[in-house]
Amino acid sequence: MAYAAFRSIGAYVPEKILTNEDLAKMVDTSDEWITKRTGIKERHIAAENEFTSDLGTNAAKIAIDRSGINPDEIDMVICATISPDYFCMPSTATIVSKKLGLKNITAFDISAACTGFVYILSIAKAFIESGMKKNVLIIGAEKLSSITDYTDRGTCIIFGDGAGAALISATENKEEAIIDVHTGADGTYADLLMTPNGGSGSEHDSLSEEVNSCFMQMKGNETFKVAVRTLTKDVKEILSENNIESDSVKHFIPHQANYRIIKAVGDALKMKDEQVVVTVGKYGNTSSASIPMAMNDIYENGKLQKGDLMLLDAFGGGLTWGSALVPFSPLV
Ligand code: UT7
């Protein structure tokens, strides 16, 4: 049987930085409030002519370079995004594939909001284990600034732009295989986090009426409470189902939504500070990109080593959630 191994990581952040002080000039907020309630100090914002596919392509190039896998051998590209280049089609994954010059691939996007990276990891794993694909490029990429209302202080203070990518490939060595991935969803909470306009469920009569209103809306406080509850339960389950104690986890890499959520879940799992990866302060919440961006940070700091066990967990619109137990298994 083929197993799926996590080979490499890469990430990209756009140049422009939007600080809390900048936001305080735009909406009724302050650096003190944002820092205390979220842990975020700044986030990156893509240029006007820089699209989600550009962010994803830049991250993917790094992941491919670090993988030791010939790009011609990549047979599938999956992009998780809620801010695709184009409404409906073509998918951002096909655009990234073109920009990378990849041929002979299957390519598509999925929409699972901030849980997107865990979802595409599970899809890559399933395709590889079934024998249908061998080398899958997965990308979480977001230009959230394109769907953020910068007059709404409840959302604009947390979101940022960026991308992360990883190469998942087939192996016969079970030691280096992804151990488990959990994914879940509950549509009864759909109204907590939405872009209510722009689709066939919109209350607007025509697309032209809503061109300027395809923004994210969030019931932040309710989302916060469900996030802590659901994540804690899900992560405890994946650990116990696999007979793994939390102190065997080298790096706990949660979705970077809000430092208080990360801290609450980390504490519930009795994680030590050095196990928990926190990058929300410098990138904000980049939805599907946040986990691979955080992973890339520890890779570039030399902290992520071959064989290290990573525990991923995420939560987002839908509602969706997921977790994964992943040894880092580079080829080179
Ligand atoms: O990534 C996917 C899932 N998303 C999340 O997990 C996000 C989860 N939610 C959050 O991170 C937090 O709920 C927020 C950061 C969005 C909001 O923080 P909060 O602590 O839940 O604030 P709140 O909405 O309960 O509001 C508390 C107070 C209110 O004032 P009053 O009614 O107590 O006078 C708000 O009006 O803070 C006020 N407030 C703000 N004040 C300054 C809300 N937003 C701001 C702001 N600046 N930006």
Side-chain angles (χ1 to χ4, degrees):
M1 176 187 164
Y3 299 103
F6 198 108
R7 297 302 191 194
S8 67
I9 185 72
Y12 173 80
V13 275
E15 215 176 289
K16 185 182 160 191
I17 291 175
L18 183 68
T19 65
N20 291 350
E21 285 82 5
D22 295 331
L23 282 165
K25 293 180 195 142
M26 297 156 70
V27 287
D28 183 13
T29 192
S30 63
D31 172 46
E32 191 194 354
W33 192 94
I34 302 171
T35 306
K36 194 166 158 219
R37 307 299 289 181
T38 69
I40 301 169
K41 296 300 285 183
E42 58 189 36
R43 64 292 289 145
H44 290 243
I45 302 293
E48 224 167 281
N49 61 353
E50 196 174 27
F51 307 132
T52 297
S53 63
D54 296 314
L55 310 183
T57 302
N58 289 337
K61 278 182 186 160
I62 298 169
I64 294 169
D65 279 353
R66 288 176 181 164
S67 72
I69 292 166
N70 184 333
D72 292 341
E73 290 171 28
I74 295 173
D75 46 14
M76 182 146 122
V77 179
I78 321 172
C79 184
T81 184
I82 51 166
S83 48
D85 283 17
Y86 301 106
F87 179 57
C88 302
M89 61 185 165
S91 72
T92 302
T94 57
I95 301 169
V96 170
S97 307
K98 183 193 124 199
K99 288 179 177 170
L100 290 170
L102 302 179
K103 300 190 172 69
N104 304 319
I105 40 122
T106 301
F108 59 95
D109 290 357
I110 68 117
S111 167
C114 306
T115 319
F117 191 76
V118 176
Y119 267 61
I120 53 180
L121 186 64
S122 76
I123 299 168
K125 179 175 181 286
F127 267 92
I128 289 170
E129 287 177 354
S130 71
M132 288 175 72
K133 300 290 175 189
K134 285 201 163 49
N135 296 296
V136 183
L137 174 64
I138 59 172
I139 304 163
E142 303 286 5
K143 184 176 178 177
L144 295 179
S145 57
S146 68
I147 54 166
T148 298
D149 178 357
Y150 285 97
T151 65
D152 173 17
R153 69 177 183 173
T155 51
C156 73
I157 54 132
I158 70 170
F159 294 111
D161 299 340
L167 234 301
I168 315 298
S169 79
T171 178
E172 285 174 10
N173 180 359
K174 198 173 177 188
E175 296 283 296
E176 56 179 18
I178 296 169
I179 297 168
D180 198 6
V181 187
H182 273 194
T183 49
D186 184 351
T188 57
Y189 291 109
D191 67 325
L192 293 189
L193 249 167
M194 292 186 86
T195 49
N197 300 313
S200 63
S202 165
E203 285 170 10
H204 290 266
D205 290 332
S206 71
L207 196 57
S208 58
E209 281 181 40
E210 41 188 53
V211 163
N212 293 317
S213 58
C214 297
F215 296 134
M216 289 181 280
Q217 293 178 12
M218 179 172 71
K219 294 178 183 166
N221 198 269
E222 286 169 62
T223 308
F224 187 104
K225 288 176 193 153
V226 187
V228 173
R229 202 171 56 234
T230 310
L231 284 175
T232 306
K233 181 172 175 287
D234 189 50
V235 174
K236 280 184 176 168
E237 275 171 13
I238 199 169
L239 286 170
S240 79
E241 282 171 18
N242 291 284
N243 294 315
I244 291 174
E245 299 292 333
S246 62
D247 54 11
S248 307
V249 171
K250 181 80 181 176
H251 307 287
F252 174 46
I253 312 179
H255 167 48
Q256 308 284 314
N258 181 321
Y259 177 68
R260 288 188 297 135
I261 298 178
I262 297 171
K263 175 85 179 125
V265 178
D267 286 352
L269 296 168
K270 299 191 170 52
M271 291 281 177
K272 298 185 194 79
D273 283 354
E274 59 267 30
Q275 286 174 285
V276 185
V277 181
V278 182
T279 55
V280 69
K282 55 181 181 175
Y283 301 137
N285 179 343
T286 57
S287 193
S288 65
S290 91
I291 288 178
M293 285 169 67
M295 193 187 295
N296 184 66
D297 251 54
I298 54 168
Y299 177 82
E300 291 189 350
N301 291 337
K303 290 184 192 155
L304 180 59
Q305 299 289 327
K306 186 171 186 158
D308 284 358
L309 179 61
M310 301 182 280
L311 171 62
L312 319 183
D313 94 60
F315 180 88
L319 292 178
T320 57
W321 60 89
S323 53
L325 281 165
V326 184
F328 185 54
S329 306
L331 281 171
V332 286

